[in-house]
């Protein structure tokens, strides 16, 4: 097994880690975010080298089948038993628990790649699985499994950074809705409940998309699209006009402004005066 560190990350089977420990900061810069923006670690990303090692061992066990040539937990058990040193056998690299851990692995752990037990026991099981894999499985397969792990870690960070960027953009949009956005034009709606309103032709129909207070005495907001005809017929009152469609929701933002912004980005509209 390779153990040379690469930028502070120690790969197990690969010659060097394809990502560094500062992958989140790299992606923050790539997305054009300020350097001081913090991104919470995604749940899918191991917190440290120990967690990554356990995750890698679980991935090796879960791979099974055509990837490792061992398609059933009993085949894995037999391979491990044949590999593990006998009790008391002197082997320089044996930390003294390999054989015990091979017997401690349950059929479910071997079959589904989910290591159980106290933290120390899980670490010992993971180290045993990786040592066995290094001796008994094809290195090309193990490198592929570890590469997939690094790819998943990078993608999880990338998604988290993109979500952080989107939330910042939604916050800026809500604080100061732009005059034009994705073909829509903002206008001053003549109704006290409306906080922001945009108009455009959506599929050829003049429409209004607006954020408005659902109750004059409360701060709860909603976002809806109305046909321009119904909007005008009801005096620009979003409580009286029947909605044309609900605002499309996508991305990681929550709230009425997030829904409005998402809605404005969803449709290929033309300006109302076009």
């Amino acid at each position: 097994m390779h153990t040379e560190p690469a930028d502070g990350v120690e790969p197990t089977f690969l010659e060097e880690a394809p990502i560094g420990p500062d992958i989140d900061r790299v992606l923050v810069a790539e997305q054009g975010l300020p350097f001081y923006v913090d991104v919470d670690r995604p749940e899918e990303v191991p917190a440290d080298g120990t967690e990554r090692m356990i995750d890698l061992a679980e991935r090796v066990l879960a791979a099974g089948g055509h990837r490792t040539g061992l398609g059933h937990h009993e085949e894995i058990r037999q391979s491990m038993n044949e590999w593990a040193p006998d009790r008391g056998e002197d082997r320089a690299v044996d930390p003294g628990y390999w054989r015990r851990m091979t017997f401690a692995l349950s059929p479910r752990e071997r079959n589904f790649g989910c290591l159980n037990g106290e933290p120390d026991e899980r670490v010992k099981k993971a180290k045993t699985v990786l040592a066995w894999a290094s001796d008994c499985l094809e290195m090309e397969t193990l490198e592929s499994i570890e590469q997939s792990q690094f790819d998943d870690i990078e993608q999880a960070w990338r998604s988290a950074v993109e979500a952080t960027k989107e939330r910042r953009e939604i916050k800026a949009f809500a604080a100061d809705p732009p005059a034009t956005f994705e073909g829509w034009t903002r206008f001053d709606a003549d109704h006290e409940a409306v906080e922001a309103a945009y108009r455009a032709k959506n599929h050829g129909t003049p429409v209004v998309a607006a954020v408005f207070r659902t109750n004059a005495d409360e701060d709860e907001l909603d976002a809806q699209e109305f046909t321009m005809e119904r909007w005008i017929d009801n005096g620009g009152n979003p409580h009286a006009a029947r909605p044309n469609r609900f605002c499309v929701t996508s991305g990681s933002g929550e709230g009425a402004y997030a829904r409005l912004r998402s809605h404005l980005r969803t449709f290929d509209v033309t300006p109302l005066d076009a």
Side-chain angles (χ1 to χ4, degrees):
M1 292 186 292
H2 307 300
T3 58
E4 290 297 320
D7 296 329
V9 176
E10 296 185 3
T12 302
F13 303 117
L14 295 169
E15 289 291 346
E16 62 178 88
I19 63 174
D22 58 347
I23 181 63
D24 57 325
R25 309 320 305 165
V26 171
L27 294 174
V28 162
E30 181 182 296
Q31 289 293 322
L33 291 169
F35 72 91
Y36 53 79
V37 171
D38 289 326
V39 180
D40 293 334
R41 178 178 62 84
E43 292 184 1
E44 310 94 313
V45 174
D48 52 31
T50 298
E51 283 195 9
R52 194 181 71 80
M53 177 189 67
I54 293 172
D55 178 68
L56 181 60
E58 291 178 337
R59 286 169 180 257
V60 169
L61 290 174
H66 68 281
R67 296 193 71 185
T68 64
L70 304 173
H72 190 272
H73 68 83
E74 182 61 21
E75 294 177 340
I76 296 176
R77 184 191 68 79
Q78 291 177 0
S79 177
M80 284 187 166
N81 287 349
E82 293 172 359
W83 163 83
D86 293 332
R87 297 180 187 278
E89 180 180 340
D90 183 19
R91 186 183 294 182
V93 294
D94 179 12
Y97 53 74
W98 280 348
R99 188 166 186 82
R100 178 162 50 89
M101 289 300 109
T102 61
F103 283 102
L105 286 169
S106 69
R108 182 176 180 81
E109 287 175 295
R110 292 193 299 268
N111 226 20
F112 297 102
C114 183
L115 299 179
N116 300 319
E118 296 297 320
D120 182 63
E121 183 180 14
R122 294 183 71 214
V123 168
K124 289 180 178 180
K125 286 180 178 180
K127 289 182 176 179
T128 300
V129 169
L130 295 178
W132 159 76
S134 183
D135 287 346
C136 300
L137 302 181
E138 292 289 336
M139 185 56 62
E140 183 178 352
T141 297
L142 298 176
E143 289 174 347
S144 174
I145 293 172
E146 187 168 35
Q147 180 65 54
S148 295
Q149 182 193 45
F150 278 118
D151 290 345
D152 289 345
I153 290 173
E154 180 177 355
Q155 183 55 53
W157 274 119
R158 185 175 298 279
S159 296
V161 170
E162 290 174 351
T164 297
K165 180 180 181 181
E166 184 175 2
R167 285 192 294 270
R168 286 173 57 87
E169 291 176 347
I170 290 170
K171 185 176 180 180
F173 180 92
D176 185 18
T180 59
F181 190 79
E182 302 291 338
W184 297 75
T185 302
R186 186 182 177 187
F187 69 98
D188 292 330
D190 189 20
H191 195 278
E192 61 181 6
V194 179
E195 291 208 351
Y198 286 84
R199 57 192 177 192
K201 287 182 181 177
N202 196 348
H203 296 294
T205 300
V207 296
V208 172
V211 165
F212 57 93
R213 292 188 300 280
T214 58
N215 189 305
D217 299 326
E218 299 177 3
D219 293 330
E220 184 177 350
L221 301 175
D222 196 5
Q224 300 284 358
E225 181 189 278
F226 309 85
T227 65
M228 181 65 73
E229 181 180 6
R230 286 175 180 159
W231 181 267
I232 294 173
D233 287 347
N234 289 275
N237 182 354
H239 300 149
R242 191 176 73 183
N244 184 49
R245 60 167 60 90
F246 292 102
C247 280
V248 176
T249 302
S250 63
S252 60
E254 297 179 355
Y257 276 100
R259 295 197 300 275
L260 175 64
R261 180 176 177 273
S262 174
H263 189 80
L264 302 186
R265 298 174 67 188
T266 298
F267 298 97
D268 186 15
V269 301
T270 56
L272 197 57
D273 56 356

